[in-house]
Amino acid sequence: MFKIAIASGKGGTGKTTLSVNLAAMLSDSESVRLCDMDVEEPDSGLFLNVDQKEKTVIQRFTPQWDEDKCTLCGKCQENCNFNAVIRLADQIMIFPELCHSCYACSELCPKNALPMIPSPMGVISSSRHEQLRFTEARLNVGVEQAVPLITQTHQYLNNLNEKAKFVIIDSPPGTSCPMIHTIKEADFVILVTEPTPFGLHDLQLAVETVRQLGIPMGVVINRGDDNNTLITDFCTANSIDVMAIIKNDRSVAAHYAAGDLVYKHVSTFRESVETIAGRIQNLLQ
Amino acid sequence: MKEIVIISGKGGTGKTSVASALASLAGKKAIVADCDVDASNLHLIMHPKITSREEFYSGTLAEIDEKACIACGLCQNVCRFNAVEYSNNLYAIDELNCEGCGYCSKVCPSGAITMKPQKSGDVFHGDTEIADGMVYAKLGIGAENSGKLVAKVKKDAMLMAEKKGRNIILVDGSPGIGCPVVSSLSGASYVVIVTEPSVSGFHDLTRVIELIQKFRLSAGCIINKRDLNEEISQKIKDYLIGEGVQHLADLPYHNSFSKAIKEGVPVTTLEVKEINDALCTVWSKINNQ
């Protein structure tokens, strides 16, 4: 199982477009699983005709106050570093949205008055689109912490009986915890950017992040125009491979907007994705 | 104080373009806060002259003192985040996995674990010619707690507004629906959602509106790149009516947006009539709220 994370600092650079099209195209000749780990806004599935889904509800555990056992000693509040457990004069108040599920309050309570109770945090579902296997992790609206679901999604992938040769991971935008926890298990990272000052600025942050994790990477320039030196100069200076330049083309945007697999409609786009697919196959040789 | 928060759900729909355009329309009445601390871009348009910089510490990370450690392994047993590694008879913390809960330090029988404050990023305050001032932040590489950094940026923008006697804060939010977005939304007077007529733009819009409704915030929506797919644009408009979200305006799919970014100016500077008229409409609708 070779995990390729498709990421970017900036949002909207084309992560999902590349993930879906690359995975679908590659699945014609290889065994591929596409995994959408952009759990806050999972969109990959919108571009696939998926068959019957197999769903797993993912739980997280937060403390619940047992009034009868509690002596209001206040150790729980002392032991919580996240202000998620507060002792009041006559009760213990719990703020589940602040809880990191570390179990300290619960397991260090001398009276066992804070049992950990499961509540749903999201759903992992798996399905198929023709040859392509597909897994999506979706965070419930109102749950603030994406990382626990991302961690469980990696475990889910690792525990699957049927392992694909390539796993392509559509990652969350940004460079903070959700992005890091998504890409840290990857064997290779593709950073998608665009040739604008915004694209460059966020690419620099993303490159630093991937470097710190020590994962090999390549860059794909999306919406490229006649002059992409802003990005190519940066990549050359930092010895990062530019894997492909996808041309700026309104018809790509229009097919994407309509939910189509773009490579089936736009030949220049198809050629760029074929180049990337070839590069990925070479990585394993 | 009026706090206008601009978010989108999906990334790349034009939040920062809209935020900088609204800042140019608000002019000296407003303070601008870039709360997309993971990938802040607004300063590339606002060109603030930095007047102060502050290191921001938030949360802690565990550290094991090798000399004091008796290698009992209790820390590894209690850690739910796989953050304690063991090799060559030594225990050590994997900083990327450590959540800073401190459970290990509380159970360590030899007091070998201390919780060190963690720098999560830098906060910058500056003057700008477009608005009356700007606050933004850079999250440290690999740092966590971006929600707390967002709260700090907003708090500083509030203080700046009070000090300068301004009563509008424009907040450029981050994509998604998780902790940085929730933190951006806290205390908002009005939410501007920027969407695009694509299957994914629409899907993400529904999730972000669900979130806004949980917080009972009033919101309006701009459909950017309207002509990219007229059918989905119409569906979005119908959906907004059903959800009680104001439709503020449509913006065309137009190369002046990327041109403005490349030139480092608000899109309003390029004086494309259709775009400027739409943005002026947005600004007056927000002000009538």
Side-chain angles (χ1 to χ4, degrees):
Chain A
M1 196 164 66
F2 190 77
K3 285 183 176 173
I4 301 152
I6 301 194
S8 72
K10 181 173 169 354
T13 56
K15 281 181 301 297
T16 300
T17 313
L18 180 59
S19 301
V20 172
N21 284 278
L22 179 63
M25 188 190 280
L26 204 56
S27 71
D28 286 341
S29 57
E30 304 274 9
S31 82
V32 181
R33 180 178 297 277
L34 171 64
C35 181
D36 194 343
M37 285 206 207
D38 186 0
V39 301
E40 294 178 40
E41 299 289 14
D43 287 337
S44 294
L46 298 169
F47 301 87
L48 304 171
N49 294 313
V50 289
D51 56 14
Q52 215 178 2
K53 279 187 184 172
E54 187 191 299
K55 289 189 176 183
T56 316
V57 173
I58 305 298
Q59 313 275 5
R60 68 182 198 126
F61 287 79
T62 51
Q64 196 176 59
W65 183 47
D66 183 339
E67 192 178 348
D68 297 335
K69 288 185 181 165
C70 179
T71 59
L72 291 170
C73 72
K75 286 237 163 61
C76 47
Q77 176 173 335
E78 259 170 56
N79 285 327
C80 179
N81 274 7
F82 307 109
N83 304 318
V85 187
I86 305 289
R87 178 184 58 165
L88 302 177
D90 57 348
Q91 62 166 315
I92 301 294
M93 251 183 114
I94 294 161
F95 299 90
E97 67 280 8
L98 298 177
C99 175
H100 287 226
S101 305
C102 74
Y103 287 70
C105 64
S106 176
E107 292 177 357
L108 296 175
C109 170
K111 297 290 175 192
N112 291 319
L114 286 166
M116 297 295 279
I117 304 294
S119 60
M121 131 176 100
V123 176
I124 298 179
S125 52
S126 282
S127 52
R128 252 176 195 271
H129 167 98
E130 295 165 9
Q131 294 303 306
L132 177 65
R133 297 171 182 126
F134 176 58
T135 297
E136 175 196 273
R138 176 174 290 260
L139 193 69
N140 290 352
V141 176
V143 176
E144 291 185 33
Q145 291 168 42
V147 174
L149 179 58
I150 290 166
T151 306
Q152 291 209 34
T153 309
H154 274 300
Q155 283 163 6
Y156 175 93
L157 291 178
N158 295 339
N159 291 336
L160 282 170
N161 290 326
E162 197 190 13
K163 288 201 176 54
K165 184 173 168 191
F166 293 100
V167 176
I168 292 176
I169 300 171
D170 189 2
S171 310
T175 53
S176 67
C177 16
M179 183 263 198
I180 289 171
H181 285 265
T182 300
I183 70 166
K184 73 176 184 188
E185 290 205 21
D187 300 291
F188 190 80
V189 178
I190 298 177
L191 294 175
V192 187
T193 186
E194 58 183 37
T196 66
F198 287 8
L200 176 64
H201 176 267
D202 298 345
L203 176 65
Q204 290 167 328
L205 297 173
V207 163
E208 266 188 79
T209 306
V210 179
R211 282 249 159 93
Q212 202 172 61
L213 294 169
I215 309 169
M217 66 182 130
V219 162
V220 169
I221 302 176
N222 192 17
R223 301 190 198 104
D225 49 27
D226 299 336
N227 187 357
N228 303 303
T229 51
L230 196 62
I231 304 295
T232 52
D233 287 354
F234 167 77
C235 289
T236 310
N238 288 277
S239 316
I240 300 164
D241 182 27
V242 177
M243 302 172 78
I245 298 174
I246 299 171
K247 279 201 188 107
N248 189 23
D249 183 342
R250 184 173 167 143
S251 67
V252 172
H255 281 294
Y256 169 84
D260 298 334
L261 284 171
V262 183
Y263 81 94
K264 292 190 172 170
H265 302 271
V266 184
S267 63
T268 52
F269 179 85
R270 182 188 174 91
E271 285 157 21
S272 300
V273 179
E274 272 169 354
T275 309
I276 300 164
R279 302 294 294 279
I280 283 170
Q281 284 167 311
N282 286 340
L283 286 172
L284 269 191
Q285 278 160 16
Chain B
M1 192 74 67
K2 194 161 182 171
E3 197 174 300
I4 301 153
V5 180
I6 301 150
I7 58 168
S8 69
K10 182 176 171 349
T13 58
K15 272 185 306 298
T16 302
S17 295
V18 167
S20 58
L22 295 182
S24 75
L25 296 173
K28 294 293 170 191
K29 288 183 204 150
I31 301 296
V32 177
D34 190 349
C35 285
D36 189 0
V37 299
D38 278 40
S40 60
N41 289 143
L42 191 55
H43 64 285
L44 300 170
I45 305 291
M46 306 294 289
H47 307 289
K49 206 158 59 179
I50 305 299
T51 49
S52 64
R53 170 188 176 147
E54 190 185 329
E55 291 189 338
F56 182 66
Y57 285 80
S58 144
T60 55
L61 284 180
E63 195 176 69
I64 300 178
D65 177 357
E66 272 179 29
K67 286 181 199 129
C69 175
I70 55 168
C72 67
L74 204 51
C75 49
Q76 194 176 45
N77 283 345
V78 301
C79 179
R80 290 299 195 292
F81 308 104
N82 235 343
V84 185
E85 292 171 335
Y86 180 70
S87 65
N88 301 327
N89 215 23
L90 281 177
Y91 286 89
I93 300 295
D94 175 347
E95 292 198 350
L96 272 177
N97 280 357
C98 179
E99 286 274 321
C101 70
Y103 194 175
C104 57
S105 71
K106 282 164 191 133
V107 298
C108 176
S110 59
I113 305 179
T114 42
M115 300 304 293
K116 300 267 176 195
Q118 190 201 7
K119 183 181 165 185
S120 76
D122 291 294
V123 181
F124 301 88
H125 314 87
D127 295 328
T128 149
E129 283 177 14
I130 299 166
D132 200 34
M134 174 173 191
V135 183
Y136 70 105
K138 278 192 175 144
L139 189 72
I141 298 296
E144 300 209 6
N145 284 319
S146 63
K148 286 180 187 158
L149 188 54
V150 166
K152 164 74 178 166
V153 170
K154 283 190 31 158
K155 191 181 131 216
D156 284 9
M158 188 74 81
L159 291 173
M160 187 186 272
E162 279 169 7
K163 206 170 137 195
K164 296 192 175 199
R166 303 299 171 204
N167 58 5
I168 299 173
I169 296 173
L170 281 169
V171 178
D172 190 4
S174 55
I177 55 163
C179 96
V181 180
V182 170
S183 189
S184 310
L185 289 174
S186 108
S189 334
Y190 189 74
V191 183
V192 176
I193 310 164
V194 185
T195 189
E196 62 174 35
S198 63
V199 289
S200 49
F202 190 12
H203 168 263
D204 296 355
L205 174 70
T206 62
R207 282 168 69 82
V208 101
I209 285 180
E210 197 184 328
L211 184 69
I212 286 167
Q213 287 168 344
K214 275 185 193 284
F215 291 104
R216 299 201 176 87
L217 295 167
S218 62
C221 181
I222 296 173
I223 304 175
N224 193 8
K225 310 175 196 173
R226 181 215 68 232
D227 44 330
L228 195 57
N229 192 314
E230 298 283 2
E231 196 190 322
I232 301 178
S233 285
Q234 191 53 50
K235 276 189 195 159
I236 291 176
K237 280 176 207 169
D238 296 342
Y239 168 77
L240 293 175
I241 293 170
E243 296 299 319
V245 174
Q246 193 180 15
H247 173 228
L248 293 170
D250 290 341
L251 291 169
Y253 184 91
H254 201 285
N255 63 11
S256 65
F257 287 97
S258 65
K259 196 172 167 222
I261 290 171
K262 286 180 184 175
E263 290 179 14
V265 295
V267 69
T268 43
T269 317
L270 302 183
E271 297 191 348
V272 178
K273 189 173 183 307
E274 187 187 359
I275 295 172
N276 284 15
D277 286 353
L279 288 164
C280 287
T281 307
V282 170
W283 187 236
S284 72
K285 282 186 182 172
I286 293 172
N287 279 306
N288 287 333
Q289 277 299 307

